[in-house]
């Protein structure tokens, strides 16, 4: 899908931060009842403050599916999240993204064409008799076209909070599971289910048979597309070891997009929502090192000053593509809506949406 972010008029760049904030609040009042702003936990605070609802990918997908009222759903997150909201929304609702280039590089690592080609490869090489025996599972961080591919084949979407459950369901259903695009979430979920390493195979995109022999593929029960999140790859086992040596009481919790080496030695792992809950429920004075996106960790530090919270890595780990959504973009979008002009609408073509909906509904039913 191609799209182009329109230029914001020059007058916007002359506005001070406080003018931008005041005008956003004014627009929200004007559009009250017609507008809902959803916000992912990784957005920076100056945008997050305007959210009506916040959450992880699963919670926001569920909210989008249950909201029947507002005409405009502004999704402060990345492109795939807004696509999922559009697929799940009612027909009269319009889903808008403050900046059209707020995308997820991991989602872009698996195109529907490349995934379809991999399936054809498996059949041609005689690894499986037919495509139907390989159940596809896609992380919600994927395009609507990939979700549609999965829906057409009876597979399911998953998120970081239900990946293990969805994988277990898929393993019961088929001979093999093809998991994309995040190799690490797939491996962490497979390990948690007790799948032995010789039955887990990495499919290297762009390589013939994903860089595997026919025997390796025949033995495998879980095939993992080799996509990754550049932000979560910055957390290393040595960061965990350093914290443990310096602060023996530290509790280390990481997101399952981190590598299996990091997840394996952390105390806990979970989705952004699970991380927030764990910190919230911990006692005053407890010490945490968190392996996930910087904006969320610094918000936790501000929200819970009575706890000692650190980012697990000594370097910034920001989702810079999500951060393309700035308050200025939100104001520009709301100004346009208030003037009767819909900009930055995310519209999944109906034939793609119908198939993608099957894989999203499959997830919501598991
Ligand atoms: P959550 O579903 O845990 O919020 O994660 C989304 C995401 O993109 C993490 O990188
Ligand atoms: Fe994608 Fe990683 Fe950003 Fe999540 S943190 S939206 S996986 S790039």
């Amino acid at each position: 899908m191609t799209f182009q972010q329109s230029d914001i008029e020059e007058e916007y760049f002359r506005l001070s931060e406080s003018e931008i904030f005041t005008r956003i609040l004014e627009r929200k009042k004007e559009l009250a009842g017609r507008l809902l702003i959803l916000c992912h936990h990784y957005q920076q605070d100056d945008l997050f403050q305007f959210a009506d609802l916040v959450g992880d990918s699963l919670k926001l997908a569920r909210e989008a599916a249950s909201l029947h009222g507002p005409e405009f759903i502004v999704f402060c997150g990345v492109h795939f999240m807004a696509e999922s909201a559009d697929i799940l929304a009612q027909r009269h609702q319009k889903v808008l993204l403050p900046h059209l280039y707020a995308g997820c590089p991991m989602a872009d690592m698996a195109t529907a064409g490349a995934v379809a080609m991999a399936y054809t490869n498996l059949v041609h090489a005689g690894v499986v008799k037919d495509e139907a025996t390989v159940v596809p599972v896609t992380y919600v961080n994927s395009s609507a076209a990939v979700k549609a591919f999965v829906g057409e084949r009876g597979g399911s979407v998953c998120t970081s909070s239900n990946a293990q459950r969805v994988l277990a369901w898929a393993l019961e259903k088929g001979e093999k599971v093809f998991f994309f695009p995040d190799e690490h979430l797939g491996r962490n979920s497979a390990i948690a289910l007790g799948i032995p390493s010789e039955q887990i195979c990495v499919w290297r995109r762009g390589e013939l048979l994903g860089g595997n022999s026919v025997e390796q593929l025949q033995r495998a029960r879980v095939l993992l597309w080799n996509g990754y999140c550049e932000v979560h790859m910055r957390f290393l086992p040595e960061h965990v070891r350093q914290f443990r040596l310096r602060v023996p009481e530290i509790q280390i919790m990481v997101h399952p997009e981190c590598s299996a080496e990091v997840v394996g030695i952390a105390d806990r792992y979970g989705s952004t929502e699970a991380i927030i809950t764990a910190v919230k429920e911990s006692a005053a004075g407890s010490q945490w090192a968190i392996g996930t996106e910087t904006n969320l960790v610094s918000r936790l530090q501000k929200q819970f000053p009575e706890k000692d919270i650190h980012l697990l890595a000594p370097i910034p780990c920001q989702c810079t593509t999500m951060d393309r959504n700035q308050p200025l973009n939100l104001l520009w979008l709301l100004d346009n809506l208030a003037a009767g002009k819909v900009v930055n609408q995310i519209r999944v073509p109906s034939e793609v949406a119908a198939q993608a909906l099957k894989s999203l509904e499959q997830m919501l039913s598991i």
Side-chain angles (χ1 to χ4, degrees):
M1 206 183 298
T2 51
F3 39 79
Q4 190 158 8
Q5 172 66 49
S6 319
D7 285 337
I8 293 182
E9 294 81 1
E10 227 178 87
E11 68 204 57
Y12 281 91
F13 302 123
R14 294 200 192 97
L15 297 172
S16 68
E17 190 179 72
S18 70
E19 283 171 323
I20 294 172
F21 290 179
T22 310
R23 277 181 53 179
I24 291 177
L25 291 174
E26 283 167 8
R27 291 294 178 242
K28 277 194 75 175
K29 254 195 216 147
E30 266 175 65
L31 293 160
R34 299 171 65 202
L35 167 76
L36 203 93
I37 301 181
L38 303 185
C39 201
H40 187 266
H41 293 304
Y42 290 164
Q43 289 285 195
Q44 64 278 48
D45 281 348
D46 51 6
L47 196 61
F48 201 79
Q49 62 179 322
F50 299 110
D52 297 308
L53 284 170
V54 300
D56 66 1
S57 307
L58 180 62
K59 188 170 161 194
L60 293 173
R62 286 214 170 103
E63 296 290 356
S66 67
L67 295 168
H68 292 186
E71 185 184 345
F72 304 119
I73 300 174
V74 175
F75 209 121
C76 298
V78 287
H79 200 268
F80 75 79
M81 296 179 184
E83 276 191 336
S84 298
D86 180 55
I87 295 164
L88 292 164
Q90 304 294 307
R91 288 180 79 87
H92 72 282
Q93 294 179 307
K94 295 178 177 65
V95 177
L96 314 147
L97 189 62
H99 197 299
L100 287 182
Y101 300 157
C104 169
M106 180 219 277
D108 298 337
M109 291 175 191
T111 62
V115 167
M117 181 77 83
Y119 263 71
T120 310
N121 268 204
L122 286 173
V123 179
H124 284 176
V127 174
V128 287
K129 274 197 306 302
D130 59 74
E131 288 189 11
T133 52
V134 185
V135 180
V137 173
T138 186
Y139 188 22
V140 69
N141 297 36
S142 55
S143 69
V146 168
K147 292 186 180 81
F149 175 90
V150 171
E152 270 171 52
R153 283 157 186 79
S156 180
V157 172
C158 74
T159 70
S160 57
S161 32
N162 60 22
Q164 200 179 312
R165 245 179 307 142
V166 174
L167 187 61
W169 164 86
L171 283 166
E172 275 204 6
K173 185 174 150 97
E175 206 179 287
K176 296 182 194 296
V177 175
F178 210 151
F179 189 101
F180 26 77
D182 188 11
E183 174 186 338
H184 305 283
L185 177 66
R187 181 175 293 106
N188 288 322
S189 309
I191 291 172
L193 288 174
I195 310 286
S197 58
E198 60 278 11
Q199 293 181 7
I200 303 173
C201 209
V202 177
W203 184 279
R204 287 170 205 88
R205 61 207 134 94
E207 289 185 34
L208 198 66
L209 285 182
N212 300 286
S213 66
V214 170
E215 295 69 39
Q216 279 171 318
L217 291 169
Q218 270 163 344
R219 208 171 39 230
R221 289 192 70 209
V222 180
L223 307 178
L224 303 173
W225 195 264
N226 69 339
Y228 58 90
C229 166
E230 200 264 329
V231 177
H232 288 88
M233 285 298 94
R234 295 187 197 176
F235 300 104
L236 303 175
E238 67 201 49
H239 300 146
V240 177
R241 288 196 286 269
Q242 271 170 17
F243 260 111
R244 286 251 163 80
L245 280 173
R246 274 193 269 134
V247 192
E249 308 75 30
I250 198 91
Q251 297 183 67
I252 297 176
M253 186 162 184
V254 300
H255 194 277
E257 286 175 16
C258 293
S259 70
E261 289 74 23
V262 170
V263 169
I265 56 173
D267 296 305
R268 304 166 73 167
Y269 70 92
S271 71
T272 52
E273 200 73 18
I275 292 172
I276 295 166
T277 306
V279 172
K280 203 186 272 177
E281 288 175 354
S282 65
S286 52
Q287 305 183 68
W288 290 91
I290 308 285
T292 198
E293 208 272 346
T294 306
N295 287 328
L296 171 54
V297 179
S298 40
R299 186 168 313 116
L300 288 171
Q301 289 165 337
K302 285 181 221 144
Q303 275 175 344
F304 302 103
E306 74 287 7
K307 300 174 192 183
D308 188 21
I309 302 167
H310 303 266
L311 182 71
L312 179 60
I315 47 169
C317 297
Q318 214 151 341
C319 182
T320 50
T321 48
M322 198 182 290
D323 279 347
R324 285 185 177 140
N325 296 320
Q326 290 289 315
L328 191 68
N329 306 97
L330 178 63
L331 174 62
W332 170 80
L333 187 148
L334 297 182
D335 276 348
N336 274 286
L337 287 185
K341 191 172 165 207
V342 177
V343 291
N344 284 18
Q345 185 177 355
I346 302 299
R347 245 182 306 198
V348 178
S350 55
E351 43 321 334
V352 177
Q355 296 302 330
L357 183 62
K358 290 185 193 167
S359 59
L360 279 161
E361 282 180 338
Q362 180 58 62
M363 168 185 79
L364 295 172
S365 76
I366 293 174

